[in-house]
Amino acid sequence: QSVLTQPPSVSAAPGQKVTISCSGSSSNIGYNYVSWYQQVPGTAPKLLIYDNNKRPSGIPDRFSGSRSGTSATLGITGLQTGDEADYYCGTWDSSLSAGVFGGGTKLTVL
Amino acid sequence: QVQLVESGGGVVQPGRSLRLSCEASGFTFSSYGMQWVRQAPGKGLEWVALIWYDGSNKYYADSVEGRFTISRDNSKNTLYLQMNSLRAEDTALYYCARGPLELDFWGQGTLVTVSS
């Protein structure tokens, strides 16, 4: 049981838009910055979004992040087959004094 | 370029110990907090431990508290994870990653299998 809750899977057609939600509490998402990671099967995770909505160098602006209250959302527009991967949200939990991740969301581009 | 290379994984019996290493290059290691994250086969990411840039503060997941110890040697640009009293549920791919908060660079991981 993950501290952060994500849907197990989402799907959409190429070129479409998809959003992935991440629900937490006042001690984690409600208090600390959220990051998002992309993991293509068989490879290490890659940072997509940090500080709720910032993109590292090299990440296309098709990827966006937002936070509202105790929830965060990853948005991906102009879906490509190469976006098929597992996506994880992560943050710090100030009550646990521990890092926390969501359970992951598998994105299928139909 | 930033590189993180883990080593030390392998097959170990329950109750035994193992020490993982993560050699860093391409950045000023002593300026960054570092973390260990693991992923059991077919499962999601699980945060394991964090150490501040100077080693002054350390934090652990409840699942490993008291059994695992994170440490670093800034003179050797190396991060460590000492794992004692290993259990079957510790079987996972262990990643080291850079960052006190967001993890902006990850190694490729080292596999730990706990089995009799």
Side-chain angles (χ1 to χ4, degrees), chain B residues 4-79:
Chain B
L4 298 170
V5 179
E6 302 94 337
S7 61
V11 180
V12 62
Q13 293 179 327
R16 303 299 289 264
S17 299
L18 209 58
R19 188 177 84 156
L20 306 183
S21 300
C22 170
E23 188 169 341
S25 60
F27 66 101
T28 304
F29 180 70
S30 59
S31 296
Y32 287 85
M34 297 291 296
Q35 304 191 39
W36 287 99
V37 175
R38 68 185 181 183
Q39 187 168 34
K43 302 296 184 182
L45 302 177
E46 180 186 11
W47 179 81
V48 174
L50 157 69
I51 186 168
W52 282 21
Y53 68 100
D54 59 356
S56 60
N57 284 284
K58 305 173 185 181
Y59 302 89
Y60 299 93
D62 284 347
S63 58
V64 307
E65 179 85 56
R67 300 187 300 122
F68 289 12
T69 302
I70 189 172
S71 62
R72 63 191 299 158
D73 186 336
N74 285 345
S75 68
K76 296 182 178 179
N77 291 343
T78 302
L79 174 72

Side-chain angles (χ1 to χ4, degrees), chain A residues 6-12 18-21 85-87 103-108:
Chain A
Q6 298 180 234
S9 62
V10 295
S11 61
V18 71
T19 60
I20 298 173
S21 61
D86 295 317
Y87 292 83
T105 299
K106 181 177 181 60
L107 169 63
T108 301

